[in-house]
């Protein structure tokens, strides 16, 4: 697949696809923007009242409301609220089940793609409903920090049930990696670990009870369901949105008198300190999505590109972090910056369990003779 400026090509049977530059990119250049084929807010994140559009994850509370909730200080007043991007007047909700959207366009898109199925399923909002029970069961198995949600799988099933061309819809999902174990069959994906063995079949049966589909019976077999969990585990791109962080970015760009700039910056620092005391690192609306182009970008411990969400919704932007030459592979870091600075052994351990491969990037190859020891940071978190 060739697109303006870059190309998706098969590297090898073992490594699969890769993303390659067809033209030079300068540091900071946008390589592409992409919307997910499906995305979903994490279950615990939603339960803790992180308010996001059910379709695109755009925040549904103002920056001021966001700051008040995360600090537990309802009297906070933010200056320059013209810098807040949340338009509360455009928020709409499904008349049947009450799910909220940032705008009518998102509501219509969700209804056409998957919500018609899920809405009909959840019209009676009671604790005994199969979808509610499925979500609650998942939450009791997977506590924060969250990396996946069973409701993303539910949306995948619903999107196929509602698709006009069902074969094409199934084909879209089949292009993602489905591997459940690594190349040596030694390490299963961490969502399929030993502690979840009994739970996986419970989830499969509950999902089948809530959302059976004659079009994808293979997804509901034991092996097929494990593959689905591995699919969202290895391909799901984390999404984070925040009305407060967008306000901070916009206020920081204002031309303000020096004294006012000092006061605003002090306020922002104090609010972030207060938030950290109350919610720690859980500042954002969080979820995950499946992206066709982004999923073709391989990992490197010295990446030359980064995934960002500059619009505070599910639209992803891939940006060059250094100059990239024509023919060079475009790689991102599957681990966060802190994890990328850890020892080779620590990085390989994380990549094996989360993504089922051993990294052979330039950095890992240069450190191949390093002792197999875990980073001090890992010891501290154990």
């Amino acid at each position: 697949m060739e697109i303006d400026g870059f190309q998706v090509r098969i590297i090898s049977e073992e490594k699969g696809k890769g993303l390659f530059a067809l033209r030079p990119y300068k540091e900071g250049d946008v390589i592409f923007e992409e919307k997910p084929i499906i995305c979903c807010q994490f279950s615990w994140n939603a339960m803790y009242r992180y308010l996001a559009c059910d379709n695109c994850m755009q925040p549904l509370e103002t920056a001021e409301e966001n700051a008040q909730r995360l600090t537990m200080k309802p009297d906070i007043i933010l200056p320059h609220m013209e810098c807040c991007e949340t338009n509360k007047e455009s928020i709409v909700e499904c008349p049947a089940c009450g799910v909220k959207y940032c705008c009518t366009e998102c509501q219509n898109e969700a209804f056409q793609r998957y919500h018609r199925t899920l809405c009909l399923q959840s019209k009676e909002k009671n604790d005994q409903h199969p979808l509610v029970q499925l979500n609650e069961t998942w939450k009791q198995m997977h506590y924060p920090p969250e990396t996946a949600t069973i409701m993303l799988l539910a949306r995948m099933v619903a999107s196929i049930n509602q698709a006009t061309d069902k074969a094409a819809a199934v084909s879209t999902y089949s292009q993602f990696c489905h591997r459940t174990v690594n190349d040596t069959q030694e390490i299963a994906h961490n969502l399929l670990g030993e502690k979840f063995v009994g739970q996986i079949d419970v989830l499969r049966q509950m999902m089948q009870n809530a959302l059976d589909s004659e079009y994808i019976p293979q997804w509901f077999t034991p092996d097929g369901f494990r593959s689905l969990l591995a699919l969202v585990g290895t391909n799901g791109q984390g999404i984070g949105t925040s009305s407060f962080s967008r306000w901070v970015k916009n206020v920081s760009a204002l031309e303000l008198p020096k004294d006012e700039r000092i006061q605003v910056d002090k306020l922002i620092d104090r609010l972030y300190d207060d938030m950290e005391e109350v919610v720690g690192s859980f500042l954002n609306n969080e979820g995950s999505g499946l992206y066709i182009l982004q999923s073709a970008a391989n990992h490197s411990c010295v990446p030359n590109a980064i995934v960002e969400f500059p619009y505070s919704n599910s639209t992803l932007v891939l940006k060059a972090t250094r100059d990239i030459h024509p023919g060079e592979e475009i790689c991102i870091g599957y681990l966060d910056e802190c994890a990328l600075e850890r020892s080779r052994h620590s990085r390989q351990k994380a990549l094996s369990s989360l993504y089922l491969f051993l990294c052979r990037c330039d950095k890992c190859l240069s450190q191949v003779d390093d002792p197999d020891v875990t980073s001090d940071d890992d010891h501290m978190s154990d």
Side-chain angles (χ1 to χ4, degrees), residues 235-343:
N235 297 279
Q237 166 65 51
I239 301 167
T241 66
S242 164
S243 54
F244 180 73
S245 69
R246 290 295 294 167
W247 173 85
V248 168
K249 183 178 180 180
N250 292 335
V251 166
S252 298
L254 291 178
E255 293 286 342
L256 298 177
K258 185 177 179 181
D259 287 349
E260 186 181 357
R261 167 58 61 203
I262 291 171
Q263 291 304 312
V264 169
D265 288 348
K266 281 183 178 178
L267 171 65
I268 291 170
D269 289 341
R270 188 171 72 249
L271 288 175
Y272 272 127
D273 286 343
D274 290 345
M275 289 176 188
E276 186 172 3
E277 280 191 25
V278 177
V279 296
S281 61
F282 297 99
L283 298 177
N284 299 334
N285 305 322
E286 293 183 352
S288 68
L290 297 176
Y291 297 79
I292 292 175
L293 292 177
Q294 174 273 338
S295 70
N298 286 312
H299 165 84
S300 171
C301 296
V302 279
N304 55 16
I306 190 171
V307 167
E308 295 181 346
F309 292 90
Y311 310 117
S312 203
N313 59 21
S314 59
T315 298
L316 170 157
V317 172
L318 188 70
K319 187 179 290 186
T321 55
R322 61 170 173 78
D323 291 356
I324 301 174
H325 306 292
E328 189 176 350
E329 185 174 5
I330 301 168
C331 293
I332 58 177
Y334 291 180
L335 307 176
D336 63 32
E337 286 185 32
C338 181
L340 289 177
E341 293 305 315
R342 291 177 179 159
S343 69

Side-chain angles (χ1 to χ4, degrees), residues 24 36 59 80 96 108 120 175 205 208 218 228 265 286 307 366:
H80 298 289
N108 292 339
L120 291 173
Q175 67 186 285
Q205 291 173 12
Q208 192 161 18
Q218 68 275 19
L228 272 190
D265 288 348
E286 293 183 352
V307 167
S366 71

Side-chain angles (χ1 to χ4, degrees), residues 43-59:
S43 300
W44 281 102
N45 191 263
M47 195 195 83
Y48 283 130
R49 296 189 305 114
Y50 286 76
L51 305 176
C53 172
D54 200 57
N55 186 58
C56 77
M57 288 193 57
Q58 185 168 309

